[in-house]
Amino acid sequence: MGYVICLGGMIGVGKTSYTTLIAQHLNSEAFYESVDDNRLLDLFYNDRERFAFPLQIYFLNTRFRSIKKAMRHKNNVLDRSIYEDALFAKINFEDGMMKEAEFDCYLDLLHNMLEEIQELDHCTCPTGPKKRPDLFIYLRASFETIMERIEKRGRDYEQDPSHVNYFRRLHSRYDDWVFNHYKESDVLIIDADRIDITREEDAAEFLEILDAKLREIDEKETARLVQKVSYK
């Protein structure tokens, strides 16, 4: 069985490293968030109010492109997905960095894109395109861990102390979004404070957890198909 797996979590939590590890483990294609080639990120961190809206539109467009490709193929892993995007936009709106008209425009475009995903009709999967991911992996870490990793990776535009409140606000909303708002798939929560996949033993532990979760998903899908056939 093929899987579409989305990773999510705070800025700096390690999604790219996990994406690479999972893709190698499952021999699947990896879709990475557009960061290094994103000319708007540096502008955003220097002037959030001016560049919050264009940055959100940029990310929305690139995540839409990635999820469309992922849904049409057998095995894929995405290091952030379109489903998580609205959380960032909402924080920017609540912080006064996006005007109400901009936020409404963003939401309208997002809903239109999500409807389009449900109407995908061409793919390389014999069973047809997926309509939603199979698994969302939430990399959950303390704010202290997040800040340590942001500092360690050393992206200049993230290092300004004035951004700490933005990071703190975003971090404080993640649990609520995952536990109360994300409904697209099964969720696997990983304690990213304890598990550090740069350590070989932790990477092995994570892959064991992942494999067990994928077996559980397979068993549920098999039971669903058997039940469906029995009703015919």
Side-chain angles (χ1 to χ4, degrees), residues 60 102-114:
L60 185 61
E102 291 175 327
F103 187 54
D104 288 345
C105 177
Y106 165 86
L107 289 178
D108 187 54
L109 184 57
L110 172 63
H111 293 154
N112 188 39
M113 288 178 170
L114 292 176

Side-chain angles (χ1 to χ4, degrees), residues 71-82:
M71 294 298 192
R72 289 188 171 105
H73 294 83
K74 183 178 180 182
N75 254 359
N76 294 283
V77 54
L78 302 96
D79 75 347
R80 197 186 294 284
S81 72
I82 194 172

Side-chain angles (χ1 to χ4, degrees), residues 125-167:
C125 305
T127 56
K130 292 178 180 287
K131 302 299 184 183
R132 56 185 53 84
D134 299 290
L135 179 64
F136 177 81
I137 301 175
Y138 176 31
L139 304 179
R140 192 183 191 200
S142 67
F143 187 69
E144 290 72 23
T145 295
I146 294 299
M147 294 310 297
E148 287 173 5
R149 292 182 181 176
I150 287 175
E151 182 178 1
K152 184 177 180 180
R153 74 181 181 183
R155 290 177 183 163
D156 290 342
Y157 52 77
E158 294 176 340
Q159 304 307 314
D160 192 319
S162 66
H163 303 322
V164 171
N165 286 337
Y166 168 62
F167 294 144

Side-chain angles (χ1 to χ4, degrees), residues 76-92:
N76 294 283
V77 54
L78 302 96
D79 75 347
R80 197 186 294 284
S81 72
I82 194 172
Y83 304 104
E84 205 171 343
D85 198 77
L87 176 61
F88 289 80
K90 188 171 179 60
I91 293 295
N92 280 315

